[in-house]
Amino acid sequence: AQKVTQAQTEISVVEKEDVTLDCVYETRDTTYYLFWYKQPPSGELVFLIRRNSFDEQNEISGRYSWNFQKSTSSFNFTITASQVVDSAVYFCALTSGYSTLTFGKGTMLLVSP
Amino acid sequence: EAQVTQNPRYLITVTGKKLTVTCSQNMNHEYMSWYRQDPGLGLRQIYYSMNVEVTDKGDVPEGYKVSRKEKRNFPLILESPSPNQTSLYFCASSLLASGGETQYFGPGTRLLVL
């Protein structure tokens, strides 16, 4: 069975602080895919990133960066210099290709001015 | 514009009154899926479809039906809604059913069953 754990239920930061959202996953498959989605207060789910299990390169996109470490089964997400518009619920998710997309329970990030 | 659309966006109904939530995608995606989102439980898959006329149960299928007669449409049917089906529902689609393709989500449908 697959599992995704986002241990941080809520995080509050002040604008311009850096923040890291943790994601730990469990799977028995050697090929799998990890995702991050953002759910702003308006409710839609916005795709942020997809990573396959064979690509451990970290990725940076503007203020966003992702650290994938197979050794610790983690796929953490860092926002640098956070902004109020980053306030949202962030979901980490896992699939092994044909299987269901398994989501973590989400981390609510509140960035105050 | 490539998108997944859902209708209605908001719905209030009463117990036992059959309803259908429509989902349509214009990206020629093979795979479509329905999820429900509940506080503290995250997103859970209800049903999915790997292609036309191919559907299967997800983690929480009880009380729901689906059909996939056309590639672009994947309606969710609640034959006899109950209050425990009050939730936020998302439809999603991806290009292929395999290979860990990214799923793109519709805007969501908020359902309240009284």
Side-chain angles (χ1 to χ4, degrees), chain A residues 30-33 51-57 68 70:
Chain A
T30 54
T31 301
Y32 52 90
Y33 304 82
R51 174 68 73 225
N52 73 56
S53 54
F54 299 109
D55 181 3
E56 287 194 72
Q57 264 193 322
F68 177 30
K70 286 177 78 170

Side-chain angles (χ1 to χ4, degrees), chain A residues 33 37 39 43 50 97 100 105, chain B residues 37 40 45 90 97 99-100 102-103:
Chain A
Y33 304 82
Y37 287 87
Q39 186 175 41
R50 169 183 180 265
T100 300
K105 289 187 167 50
Chain B
Q37 182 180 9
Q45 191 178 51
F90 287 101
T102 300
Q103 290 189 33

Side-chain angles (χ1 to χ4, degrees), chain B residues 59-72:
Chain B
D59 297 322
V60 288
E62 295 77 22
Y64 304 95
K65 284 176 59 176
V66 293
S67 67
R68 186 95 181 270
K69 294 186 171 59
E70 307 165 278
K71 198 169 187 178
R72 63 182 295 134

